[in-house]
Amino acid sequence: MTGKKGGFELLTPEQCGISSLALLELFNGLEENVHHVHTFSLSRCGIPIVEASRKPYSLNCKMNLLSVGKSLVSMAIGILEAENRLRIDDLVLDYFRDKLPAEYDLRLEKLRIRHLLIMAASSCARSTPFVTLEPGRDWAEFYLSLPMPDEAGHSFEYDTGASYMLSRIVTILTGKSALVFLKERVFNRLGITDIEWLTDAAGVSVGGWGLYMCPHDLIKLGQLWSDYGRWDGEQLVPE
């Protein structure tokens, strides 16, 4: 097996503190109750223990990870905040004043980055798939054209569009897509090279979906977060 650096001696699950019987019961349960498992990866303390895939998928097959992208956009925002390039209490309209329609919901004036991060910004209506928009329609303009059901920060409602707006802020501040920014700051350091993220017509990573990664790379991100942003002794992401 290979790990973050160099090679690992092939270990049994028990040597890593994991019961082989429990793993067998888990796999049997997946076979009986979950019918669309493509791949499975398990590691402990950075040591890979089990990897498996179901045909026609393979361990090196990039998977559509859907809303995992939301966590990656949040990570990019956290890095920028730690570098004092933004504050999570910044007003969203400070970045998008030029995208406002002539008439808009005045409650947007109180919308902050914090509200986008915790999905207390708007409503499910703002999660309408942007790909259905007519070609050339600016996604930020569309997001800001929708009415808000309540004051910003008042309640949680799942909002994929909020993650797109966060991704757009990353691009405004860095001049790069969220994917390129995170490649430079995180992914390359983790050895994650086979990754794709859909973009809008302007090249902005869509943020809340459209992310494709291999399962064994996703588990590296899980380890990074479990270790409070540290990787091989280096603080890649602020704790």
Side-chain angles (χ1 to χ4, degrees):
M1 290 184 177
T2 59
K4 291 181 286 188
K5 281 188 177 179
F8 286 117
E9 178 187 356
L10 186 63
L11 302 176
T12 66
E14 277 73 17
Q15 287 174 301
C16 298
I18 303 291
S19 165
S20 294
L21 179 59
L23 286 174
L24 182 59
E25 292 176 348
L26 171 62
F27 281 120
N28 287 336
L30 291 174
E31 288 289 332
E32 293 175 5
N33 301 300
V34 183
H35 305 295
H36 300 288
V37 176
H38 299 163
T39 59
F40 180 92
S41 296
L42 173 68
S43 73
R44 187 174 189 187
C45 300
I47 301 175
I49 298 173
V50 177
E51 289 187 314
S53 63
R54 183 193 297 274
K55 292 183 179 180
Y57 303 98
S58 73
L59 296 175
N60 294 317
C61 178
K62 290 197 296 294
M63 310 297 293
N64 183 351
L65 299 183
L66 303 173
S67 290
V68 171
K70 294 178 171 66
S71 294
L72 298 187
V73 170
S74 297
M75 181 169 65
I77 292 292
I79 293 172
L80 292 173
E81 184 199 27
E83 295 177 351
N84 295 316
R85 299 171 74 175
L86 62 76
R87 296 178 301 112
I88 61 171
D89 283 319
D90 285 347
L91 292 170
V92 172
L93 291 190
D94 286 347
Y95 297 87
F96 296 102
R97 184 68 60 178
D98 62 330
K99 301 300 180 183
L100 281 173
E103 296 184 3
Y104 62 93
D105 192 324
L106 293 178
R107 289 174 293 188
L108 285 170
E109 296 286 353
K110 296 181 180 180
L111 181 63
R112 300 182 184 275
I113 291 177
R114 177 187 299 275
H115 300 137
L116 298 178
L117 287 165
I118 64 174
M119 293 195 176
S122 51
S123 72
C124 293
R126 294 175 185 264
S127 292
T128 301
F130 291 120
V131 291
T132 63
L133 297 178
E134 62 269 24
R137 180 75 185 271
D138 187 285
W139 290 16
E141 288 181 354
F142 173 72
Y143 185 87
L144 297 173
S145 71
L146 298 170
M148 296 179 66
D150 212 330
E151 295 288 340
H154 183 268
S155 59
F156 170 90
E157 286 196 59
Y158 198 74
D159 183 9
T160 297
S163 295
Y164 169 78
M165 297 297 281
L166 291 169
S167 179
R168 184 83 170 248
I169 289 172
V170 171
T171 298
I172 290 170
L173 291 175
T174 67
K176 306 168 184 176
S177 69
L179 175 58
V180 171
F181 176 70
L182 287 174
K183 278 184 175 180
E184 295 175 354
R185 303 300 296 272
V186 179
F187 299 152
N188 289 344
R189 311 290 272 280
L190 270 58
I192 298 175
T193 58
D194 193 11
I195 180 171
E196 298 179 28
W197 212 339
L198 300 182
T199 68
D200 67 1
V204 177
S205 300
V206 298
W209 49 283
L211 176 72
Y212 293 82
M213 290 178 62
C214 296
H216 55 79
D217 285 333
L218 180 61
I219 208 168
K220 293 177 183 178
L221 284 169
Q223 188 66 52
L224 175 73
W225 294 331
S226 178
D227 290 337
Y228 301 97
R230 295 184 66 81
W231 184 264
D232 283 339
E234 183 180 3
Q235 194 76 46
L236 295 186
V237 180
E239 181 177 337

